[in-house]
């Protein structure tokens, strides 16, 4: 049994292939790794090279950009944009309508209030600086 693939063309003419994640039916680009237990809302997108860990939740209308990584248990509210190269630590909560700028690090258990723009690292510990991949599940 094969999964149906959707092709979506962006404004510059680049076509990206997406599959529907089994849990939530959100769109996941080829090259992205999403753990089977993660929930991706049907109107959310996970771009290529992004990783979403075990029991993470990506809400309606949210977009996880290329190269971003969400660790286990992360909650992403509705209409959140997570920029390229962002790392979000275990159990962090990102409030609805927030924007996380590219290459920002958000530490374990941190809370980002709704309607917030995050342009600098937030709660990223010295331990996480030494081992940034710690706590990021190897998604299936």
């Amino acid at each position: 049994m094969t999964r149906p693939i959707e092709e979506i063309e962006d404004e510059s003419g680049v076509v990206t292939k997406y599959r529907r994640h089994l849990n939530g039916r959100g769109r996941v680009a080829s090259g992205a790794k999403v753990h089977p237990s993660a929930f991706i809302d049907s109107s959310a997108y996970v771009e290529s090279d992004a990783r979403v860990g075990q029991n993470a939740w990506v809400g309606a209308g949210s977009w996880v950009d290329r190269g971003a990584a969400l660790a286990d248990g992360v909650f992403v509210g509705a209409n959140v944009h997570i920029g390229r190269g962002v790392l979000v630590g275990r159990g962090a909560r990102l409030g609805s309508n927030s924007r996380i700028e590219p290459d920002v690090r958000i530490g374990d258990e941190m809370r980002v209030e709704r309607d917030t723009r995050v342009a600098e690292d937030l709660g990223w510990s010295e331990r996480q600086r030494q081992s940034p991949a710690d706590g990021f599940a190897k998604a299936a």
Side-chain angles (χ1 to χ4, degrees), residues 101-128:
E101 297 293 327
D103 300 314
V104 167
R105 308 306 186 239
I106 296 176
D108 293 347
E109 304 294 327
M110 293 303 297
R111 303 290 184 259
V112 173
E113 296 297 320
R114 64 178 301 140
D115 299 314
T116 301
R117 180 178 166 268
V118 180
E120 297 178 359
D121 290 357
L122 182 65
W124 198 252
S125 70
E126 187 58 38
R127 177 191 60 78
Q128 288 171 303

Side-chain angles (χ1 to χ4, degrees), residues 1 20 24 27 49 72 129 133:
M1 179 175 177
R20 291 288 189 160
R27 290 175 179 90
D49 300 323
D72 298 346
R129 286 188 214 323

Side-chain angles (χ1 to χ4, degrees), residues 9-113:
E9 185 175 352
D10 67 14
E11 64 277 352
S12 62
V14 175
V15 175
T16 302
K17 294 182 179 184
Y18 294 88
R19 67 183 187 282
R20 291 288 189 160
H21 186 57
L22 293 175
N23 193 5
R25 308 291 298 150
R27 290 175 179 90
V28 178
S30 38
K33 298 199 182 315
V34 178
H35 194 279
S37 68
F39 177 84
I40 310 297
D41 186 86
S42 63
S43 62
Y45 287 83
V46 178
E47 297 293 344
S48 295
D49 300 323
R51 293 179 293 163
V52 179
Q54 184 175 5
N55 297 317
W57 178 283
V58 179
S62 290
W63 174 25
V64 180
D65 216 333
R66 296 175 184 271
L70 309 180
D72 298 346
V74 169
F75 176 85
V76 178
N79 301 312
V80 175
H81 177 235
I82 299 170
R84 288 179 185 245
V86 168
L87 295 179
V88 181
R90 272 184 270 191
R93 298 182 61 81
L94 309 180
S96 296
N97 302 309
S98 295
R99 178 175 173 82
I100 314 302
E101 297 293 327
D103 300 314
V104 167
R105 308 306 186 239
I106 296 176
D108 293 347
E109 304 294 327
M110 293 303 297
R111 303 290 184 259
V112 173
E113 296 297 320

